[in-house]
């Protein structure tokens, strides 16, 4: 993943923190082929929905984008077992801390 400049001089990974956490934790998550495929489909669907949402204006776009991100995270968590959920949550916390 490439870094891109974010307003305010902050660096942000392309694809967002959830995608970054999944990539970083992939070896410890031990995803089955079926889980991996489902997660790829969730991200594909999210990209399509996000494209439609970004055509909207202002607050509506921001609210809908937040809802889409929340929905994507819930869908991914539903694919994982309890141990995998814990690994991913820990990785997300770790990444959040490193960005502050």
């Amino acid at each position: 993943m490439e870094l891109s400049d974010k307003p305010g001089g902050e660096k942000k990974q392309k694809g967002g923190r959830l995608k970054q956490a999944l990539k970083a934790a992939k070896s410890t998550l031990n995803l089955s082929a079926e889980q991996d495929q489902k997660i790829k489909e969730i991200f594909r669907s999210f990209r399509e929905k996000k494209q439609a949402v970004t055509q909207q204006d202002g607050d509506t776009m921001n609210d809908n984008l937040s809802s889409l991100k929340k929905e994507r995270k819930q869908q991914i968590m539903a694919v994982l077992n309890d141990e995998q959920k814990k690994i991913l949550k820990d990785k997300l916390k770790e990444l959040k801390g490193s960005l502050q």
Side-chain angles (χ1 to χ4, degrees), residues 1 25 31 35-36 46 50 59 66-67 71 73-74 77 94 97:
M1 275 185 212
L31 297 173
Q35 286 176 310
D36 192 46
F46 172 77
K50 181 182 173 188
D59 292 339
S66 292
S67 294
E71 178 186 328
K73 185 176 179 183
Q74 289 172 339
M77 289 300 190
E94 180 184 315

Side-chain angles (χ1 to χ4, degrees), residues 13-77:
Q13 291 283 340
K14 284 187 178 180
R17 190 171 34 232
L18 181 59
K19 190 170 188 175
Q20 183 183 0
L22 279 165
K23 280 187 129 179
K26 188 165 183 149
S27 63
T28 53
L29 286 173
N30 296 318
L31 297 173
S32 69
E34 182 181 351
Q35 286 176 310
D36 192 46
Q37 189 58 41
K38 284 181 181 179
I39 290 171
K40 285 178 183 175
E41 177 59 29
I42 291 166
F43 274 101
R44 186 198 59 74
S45 176
F46 172 77
R47 280 190 305 274
E48 290 174 2
K49 291 176 185 176
K50 181 182 173 188
Q51 192 172 14
V53 166
T54 55
Q55 305 297 318
Q56 300 170 349
D57 292 328
D59 292 339
T60 303
M61 181 189 75
N62 291 333
D63 291 345
N64 289 340
L65 196 52
S66 292
S67 294
L68 278 179
K69 288 178 180 180
K70 185 176 180 179
E71 178 186 328
R72 175 187 61 181
K73 185 176 179 183
Q74 289 172 339
Q75 288 174 340
I76 288 172
M77 289 300 190

